[in-house]
Amino acid sequence: MRTLLASAGLALLLALATEPGVNAQEAPEYLKQTVPEQALKAHWDEQLAVMNPKGALDGKTKQLIALGVAAQIPCVYCVYGHTKLAKAAGATDAQIKEAIATAALVRFNSTMLQGSGYDLQKLQQEVDRLAAPK
């Protein structure tokens, strides 16, 4: 289900980025055919609201985040699309590599912490110390 929703969201973004005739008020055909009818409007509205490049995060940042997530899902459709959209939003190859490396590092550390059963309170204390103003 996550992959379907991620793919649908990616397809939406691709449509908005590449098809000048797409009406922002109406979901594109691929969403109409893949998202349940009762969820379509809410899904479309959420896509438009969250991926709005004029929100608190700019479009490039959102695409780099989406790419890191897509690499972790993993979703080949989303990786392709968010890479293209990140570049279209001004991301460099170095920024794309760093976004993917950041996602991979978080995934690695998460796996090690979860698998080892590391004490959460101890981690919180260590992170608080690292994040304290110097």
Side-chain angles (χ1 to χ4, degrees), residues 32-101:
K32 292 177 184 177
Q33 291 186 20
T34 58
V35 175
E37 186 176 338
Q38 68 273 21
L40 182 61
K41 183 179 182 335
H43 178 70
W44 177 249
D45 289 346
E46 184 177 21
Q47 289 290 318
L48 293 175
V50 172
M51 295 308 286
N52 177 353
K54 298 191 187 296
L57 296 173
D58 61 71
K60 179 174 80 172
T61 301
K62 289 179 182 184
Q63 291 302 329
L64 291 170
I65 291 168
L67 176 56
V69 171
Q72 294 303 317
I73 292 174
C75 175
V76 33
Y77 304 99
C78 300
V79 168
Y80 174 81
H82 289 296
T83 298
K84 294 289 254 189
L85 292 169
K87 286 183 178 183
T92 64
D93 288 340
Q95 289 170 324
I96 288 169
K97 287 177 185 176
E98 196 166 312
I100 295 166

